[in-house]
Amino acid sequence: MKKIIVVGNGMVGYKFCEKFVAEAESQAYKITVFGEEPRPAYDRVHLSEYFENQDADALEMAPRAWYEEHGIELITGERVADIHRAKKTITTAKEREFEYDYLVLATGSSPFVPPIKGVEKKGVFVYRTIEDLEGMLAYAAELKAKNPDAKAAVLGGGLLGLEAGKAVLDMGLEPHIVEFAPKLMPRQLDTRSSQVLKLKLESIGLNIHLSKATNQILGGDAITGMEFGEDDVLDVDMLIISAGIRPRDELAKTCDLEMGVRGGIVVDNKMKTSDPNIYAIGEVALYNQMIYGLVAPGYDMAGIAVKQILGETECLMPADIDMSTKLKLIGVDVASFGEPFMPASKGHSIIFENKTQHLYKRINVSLDGKSLLGGILVGDAADYNMLHQIYLNGMKIPEDPSQLILPASEGGASFGSVMDLPDTAQVCSCESVSKGVICCSITENGSNNLGDVVTETKATTGCGGCKPMVVDLVNETLKSLGKEVKEVICEHFSFNRQELYDLVKVNQVKDYDEALNLFGDGDGCEVCKPALASIFATITMETPNKQFAIQDTNDRFLANIQRNGTYSVVPRVAGGEITPDKLIVLGEVAKKYDLYTKITGGQRIDLFGAQIHQLPLIWKELIDAGFESGHAYGKSLRTVKSCVGSTWCRYGMHESVTFAIEIENRYRGLRSPHKLKGGVSGCIRECAEARGKDFGLIAVDGGWNLYVCGNGGATPKHAILFAEKLDDETAIKYLDRFLMFYIKTAGPLVRTAPWLEKLEGGIEYLKQVVIEDSLGIADDLENEMQGLVNKYECEWKQAIEDPNIAKRFKHFVNSDDTDDNLVFVPMREQKMPQAW
């Protein structure tokens, strides 16, 4: 058997092995893999997730057993020290010698550590391996034991630097990002998008320091700060260096392979080095005078090396490498594709920017307006996959290209169907899977669902960014074959939410167990239980108290659980209107139970830090004072925000407060597939932000303009104008119909905005159903809504009046002891949970 030695067991080294054993000819080869680290290959792209669960196995690309099953010898914890090209052997640091016919160098890269005075001090780390992360966690725990307000800085504001910033947050330290350039992510973002990202990151707690050159690291044995200039010092207790990478090319230097001037092993389009028996792939390979730091090009290189070794010499690396990328950095979408920076001489840039919602979208269009050349997305990258495909495949764009990035209410993203893509379009760049391969998996190879397609093609198994497009392709292909496409709730129910809703209602099913016996299989799961709980509530208006065992944690205890295991208390304050007496009660309760107090964005007051056994006691006092549950924990109506309207404001055209209170009290407790928020503005100045809500009303001359299907959050959408100049009665009627239609037809955890996007016919169809009664169900929708309104009960009132319900509000099932592990620290004049 011919012998292949792979040096490096990172993501690209593993991918070489995976691609090689998938080939029929692989049986004639023996593969030996050397990994310097003590564990098999793991996913460095998602390395920051280790801080959430500290589960190294969850990051594994494949367990050791996988290598054994495929006849691969995996040697970990042993470094290859020398290559002897003449003898075609390698020597390890343990002085063991191995022969090869082909050598594949996949040694990757190492963190670049700038030559800063004091960089060797204790408390300075690099961000590269699981062992690095374990060291950070241990050091952070020591710091917090001495100082709960300890600070950590990250040197570098690029992709990895911001990931490290998330790590600092997860460790409970005060985070600081220090970047030499005048903007974050200087290689991917322009100045304006970088500024939007900076504002967003600052809003979630990161401190950003730009244009900072670090002169030295201060402290004795351990770091105490960073000095940028004579009087410019940042006090920090820990430093994570993430200032770029350098190829691990030292092996190639020892055996005189051709090297790049600034490092990296020179390879041709066959991934061959200057020695025809040695290949280099991944971040160690210098191709086209470039080191490519993304995983997708590394996977492509691995595939080319496999083909070349097996004699398929026509398989070559393309000359142009697509560096497009989509990431979620600390919960913020960031994407760039094509040419993100483009000179005015080459084309035009179209920019949409909304700093209030931390949104930035830029596309670059050719001078003739016919081609998409690139772009940048920050804050909302939902359209990235389709924009990327339009760019890659030279697809036609609208006469008005701005439609590609404008919000739906401003004209809508103007994309065609995913089926319009050419079969050669690469949908999954990580695994190089084209549209044609995905569709053929169904049309020719018998795949019947998304799971089958993923198993056969490996699409979506890399970074996962292509999953929405793969789902659409699978569904559209199945439909084209006349097959039913059904998004079932889970494996225990072969029905979607709408079908289960009808089955429960028609058969007058009373509880979850009965539904499972009649329509399901198995014992159920944490997906179908809350979904059925929502269905029961939207049919009978039952509260979570009736079937508390199938509720999500928050609904089970009628409160939002916080990060230290305490709960929040949020009474309803309809329309934001509250009497002085009720304000005094809230203050007295907060003082009595020592609760952190905050006015929310929904115009009510949130009390944080209640232990589970205190909840009934607190709510007893609040209900005695006239309060009721605010349903802040439920997939239900939260608030209907209002301005002061014509009652007080000189610009007000209608009584927005009165109408907001009427609407909130009408729909309070209304359970739905996802949370619902409303707003009522007394004039077009829009102080209640009604167009950022699931439904909103804005006063105009002649009545109310009704807007529907908007939301804030990670993917904000402006609500769309639905009807104009309505009187109060008609507005309520349309809202009854709209909300009931949404409740009956939306999938679990689908908010109104994405529900409308998937609704065939869109807003015009919705108008036909709700306003024109095209389906003849308007009366039924109104009657059903009125029935729910009539059945409303405050679930917290139930809980404090029923001793059996009150029993579940205990920290321990078998004891009345309370949680004595809670630790709070001061924050301004209140308190907060001690950071983990």
Side-chain angles (χ1 to χ4, degrees):
M1 297 177 74
K2 290 188 176 180
K3 297 174 183 177
I4 300 173
I5 290 179
V6 181
V7 184
N9 189 225
M11 295 178 73
V12 173
Y14 162 77
K15 187 57 62 174
F16 173 87
C17 296
E18 182 187 88
K19 288 177 179 285
F20 200 95
V21 298
E23 300 285 340
E25 302 92 333
S26 65
Q27 300 300 317
Y29 295 80
K30 166 66 177 175
I31 300 177
T32 303
V33 180
F34 287 90
E36 195 173 81
E37 293 183 54
R39 63 187 86 241
Y42 56 89
D43 183 355
R44 290 192 206 276
V45 173
H46 296 101
L47 191 59
S48 63
E49 293 176 10
Y50 184 76
F51 287 96
E52 298 171 14
N53 50 37
Q54 294 176 43
D55 182 3
D57 291 344
L59 292 172
E60 267 188 3
M61 305 291 289
R64 287 185 182 274
W66 179 88
Y67 295 86
E68 294 171 7
E69 289 167 11
H70 292 89
I72 298 171
E73 183 181 8
L74 174 63
I75 301 172
T76 55
E78 188 166 354
R79 180 174 58 85
V80 174
D82 288 297
I83 299 171
H84 312 288
R85 290 167 54 190
K87 294 194 303 179
K88 294 176 73 172
T89 63
I90 61 99
T91 305
T92 73
K94 295 181 180 179
E95 298 185 353
R96 296 201 294 167
E97 191 170 85
F98 295 80
E99 296 179 346
Y100 68 82
D101 293 290
Y102 298 102
L103 181 64
V104 179
L105 300 178
T107 47
S109 63
S110 58
F112 169 62
V113 179
I116 302 170
K117 183 181 178 183
V119 76
E120 74 288 345
K121 294 184 189 297
K122 185 180 178 182
V124 179
F125 297 86
V126 293
Y127 187 79
R128 181 65 180 173
T129 69
I130 289 177
E131 284 68 36
D132 292 333
L133 271 56
E134 288 173 339
M136 292 178 206
L137 284 165
Y139 196 76
E142 289 179 25
L143 289 177
K144 289 188 293 181
K146 300 173 186 174
N147 176 16
D149 298 321
K151 303 174 184 178
V154 176
L155 186 62
L159 292 173
L160 288 176
L162 295 181
E163 280 293 308
K166 181 182 187 301
V168 172
L169 274 175
D170 289 340
M171 288 188 291
L173 303 175
E174 182 181 301
H176 294 261
I177 303 290
V178 177
E179 169 57 43
F180 176 76
K183 63 180 181 177
L184 294 173
M185 295 180 65
R187 291 190 176 185
Q188 289 84 13
L189 301 183
D190 59 15
T191 301
R192 293 175 68 169
S193 58
S194 180
Q195 178 64 14
V196 170
L197 178 62
K198 177 176 178 286
L199 292 172
K200 176 61 178 177
L201 296 180
E202 287 174 337
S203 75
I204 59 178
L206 267 70
N207 301 281
I208 311 294
H209 309 269
L210 301 176
S211 301
K212 296 290 185 183
T214 307
N215 292 340
Q216 65 173 317
I217 295 169
L218 305 174
D221 292 335
I223 179 175
T224 59
M226 302 169 70
E227 186 221 298
F228 309 119
E230 191 172 326
D231 298 313
D232 192 359
V233 173
L234 175 64
D235 294 328
V236 291
D237 308 285
M238 180 174 170
L239 174 63
I240 301 171
I241 296 177
S242 183
I245 58 172
R246 292 291 182 268
R248 287 285 306 272
D249 55 11
E250 58 269 24
L251 265 179
K253 292 174 183 175
T254 64
C255 65
D256 295 324
L257 289 176
E258 184 182 352
M259 308 291 295
V261 176
R262 299 176 63 185
I265 306 171
V266 174
V267 294
D268 60 14
N269 59 3
K270 299 177 180 179
M271 295 298 105
K272 286 186 177 181
T273 67
S274 53
D275 184 322
N277 298 306
I278 301 178
Y279 295 79
I281 57 177
E283 291 173 335
V284 74
L286 185 71
Y287 178 59
N288 288 343
Q289 297 301 308
M290 279 266 305
I291 296 289
Y292 296 93
L294 298 176
V295 70
Y299 283 2
D300 289 342
M301 291 176 181
I304 297 298
V306 166
K307 296 293 187 182
Q308 290 292 328
I309 290 173
L310 293 176
E312 297 181 38
T313 55
E314 73 281 1
C315 292
L316 305 174
M317 195 71 181
D320 296 320
I321 305 296
D322 180 26
M323 295 296 286
S324 304
T325 184
K326 176 189 173 188
L327 303 145
K328 188 175 281 290
L329 297 167
I330 322 181
V332 184
D333 278 345
V334 179
S336 66
F337 63 95
E339 296 186 58
F341 316 114
M342 192 181 67
S345 59
K346 190 171 181 179
H348 304 294
S349 294
I350 301 171
I351 294 172
F352 171 79
E353 184 174 8
N354 184 342
K355 287 186 178 177
T356 62
Q357 295 184 325
H358 305 110
L359 277 179
Y360 178 89
K361 298 183 180 184
R362 166 181 171 168
I363 54 172
N364 301 322
V365 179
S366 59
L367 291 172
D368 61 9
K370 294 181 179 180
S371 302
L372 182 62
L373 303 180
I376 296 170
L377 305 170
V378 173
D380 176 12
D383 297 331
Y384 166 79
N385 284 324
M386 200 64 193
L387 288 169
H388 187 208
Q389 291 298 333
I390 292 171
Y391 155 71
L392 285 177
N393 296 287
M395 296 169 65
K396 183 180 178 182
I397 62 176
E399 288 187 19
D400 177 8
S402 67
Q403 293 178 24
L404 293 171
I405 56 171
L406 285 177
S409 57
E410 304 293 339
S414 183
F415 304 134
S417 165
V418 286
M419 300 302 285
D420 295 336
L421 294 173
D423 285 345
T424 54
Q426 190 180 79
V427 173
C428 176
S429 58
C430 291
E431 295 291 340
S432 300
V433 184
S434 68
K435 175 207 166 187
V437 169
I438 291 168
C439 294
C440 285
S441 171
I442 298 167
T443 58
E444 298 178 14
N445 299 340
S447 294
N448 291 307
N449 52 48
L450 176 65
D452 292 347
V453 171
V454 170
T455 299
E456 181 176 335
T457 68
K458 292 192 175 294
T460 78
T461 59
C463 71
C466 62
K467 187 172 182 179
M469 182 167 282
V470 174
V471 170
D472 287 344
L473 276 172
V474 170
N475 290 344
E476 292 302 317
T477 305
L478 288 171
K479 287 178 184 176
S480 71
L481 297 175
K483 294 185 179 182
E484 182 181 14
V485 177
K486 183 186 291 186
E487 295 183 9
V488 299
I489 282 189
C490 71
E491 66 208 57
H492 302 108
F493 289 92
S494 298
F495 304 99
N496 60 29
R497 186 184 184 278
Q498 185 175 357
E499 290 168 334
L500 269 179
Y501 180 101
D502 292 335
L503 286 168
V504 168
K505 186 170 184 179
V506 169
N507 292 279
Q508 298 183 344
V509 177
K510 296 295 189 292
D511 57 38
Y512 176 81
D513 289 337
E514 185 181 356
L516 191 62
N517 290 334
L518 288 174
F519 318 124
D521 294 299
D523 299 318
C525 65
E526 298 310 308
V527 174
C528 59
K529 288 177 181 178
L532 264 295
S534 171
I535 288 172
F536 285 117
T538 53
I539 292 174
T540 67
M541 203 61 173
E542 70 177 41
T543 69
N545 293 323
K546 183 175 180 182
Q547 300 186 69
F548 76 91
I550 63 171
Q551 310 289 337
D552 281 326
T553 300
N554 289 343
D555 279 301
R556 188 174 300 184
F557 296 110
L558 311 180
N560 277 325
I561 191 169
Q562 305 303 311
R563 67 181 175 90
N564 67 339
T566 60
Y567 290 82
S568 64
V569 174
V570 191
R572 186 170 301 288
V573 180
E577 183 181 270
I578 188 167
T579 64
D581 286 340
K582 284 189 173 181
L583 272 175
I584 290 169
V585 169
L586 288 177
E588 289 174 341
V589 167
K591 286 181 68 175
K592 179 176 179 179
Y593 294 95
D594 190 22
L595 304 176
Y596 170 86
T597 308
K598 187 181 188 303
I599 296 173
T600 73
Q603 297 182 328
R604 53 189 182 183
I605 294 172
D606 211 339
L607 309 176
F608 293 87
Q611 293 193 49
I612 192 169
H613 70 281
Q614 295 176 322
L615 291 173
L617 305 174
I618 293 169
W619 276 104
K620 173 71 166 63
E621 294 191 37
L622 293 176
I623 286 172
D624 288 346
F627 287 103
E628 64 180 21
S629 173
H631 297 93
Y633 44 82
K635 300 297 182 281
S636 57
L637 179 77
R638 298 291 179 84
T639 62
V640 179
K641 189 173 181 178
S642 80
C643 61
V644 295
S646 60
T647 310
W648 290 94
C649 180
R650 59 198 174 109
Y651 298 112
M653 303 187 72
H654 295 301
E655 273 198 84
S656 55
V657 181
T658 302
F659 202 34
I661 292 171
E662 180 184 348
I663 292 171
E664 184 163 341
N665 286 333
R666 179 171 182 79
Y667 302 124
R668 59 188 174 176
L670 178 67
R671 289 303 206 261
S672 56
H674 209 301
K675 63 187 174 186
L676 290 168
K677 294 184 179 182
V680 182
S681 286
C683 73
I684 58 172
R685 285 169 178 78
E686 246 286 72
C687 293
E689 301 166 331
R691 291 192 65 197
K693 306 288 192 282
D694 296 279
F695 61 87
L697 293 137
I698 300 176
V700 294
D701 188 17
W704 300 99
N705 281 359
L706 174 60
Y707 295 80
V708 297
C709 298
N711 62 249
T715 53
K717 298 287 183 183
H718 264 127
I720 302 169
L721 180 62
F722 190 66
E724 298 181 81
K725 298 184 178 180
L726 307 177
D727 57 30
D728 291 13
E729 182 181 355
T730 306
I732 293 287
K733 179 170 68 176
Y734 287 173
L735 274 175
D736 280 357
R737 296 176 182 179
F738 160 68
L739 290 171
M740 204 67 221
F741 188 59
Y742 160 67
I743 284 170
K744 289 163 71 84
T745 60
L749 303 180
V750 177
R751 262 193 105 166
T752 55
W755 167 72
L756 179 63
E757 288 177 355
K758 294 290 186 181
L759 193 64
E760 195 168 339
I763 190 68
E764 294 306 318
Y765 172 70
L766 188 60
K767 288 178 180 178
Q768 291 167 12
V769 173
V770 171
I771 299 174
E772 301 169 21
D773 192 17
S774 61
L775 300 180
I777 60 172
D779 288 343
D780 292 336
L781 296 175
E782 290 177 36
N783 292 334
E784 287 180 72
M785 180 60 77
Q786 190 59 51
L788 296 178
V789 170
N790 294 342
K791 291 177 183 175
Y792 168 75
E793 286 185 83
C794 173
E795 48 221 42
W796 261 115
K797 191 170 188 297
Q798 288 178 335
I800 64 173
E801 292 178 351
D802 187 332
N804 290 323
I805 297 175
K807 284 179 183 177
R808 73 171 180 259
F809 293 93
K810 296 170 61 176
H811 188 75
F812 301 102
V813 175
N814 59 347
S815 170
D816 290 329
D817 290 349
T818 59
D819 185 1
D820 57 3
N821 294 309
L822 295 174
V823 180
F824 296 91
V825 295
M827 184 179 68
R828 291 176 287 277
E829 296 180 16
Q830 299 197 71
K831 67 177 185 179
M832 64 174 282
Q834 186 181 50
W836 289 325

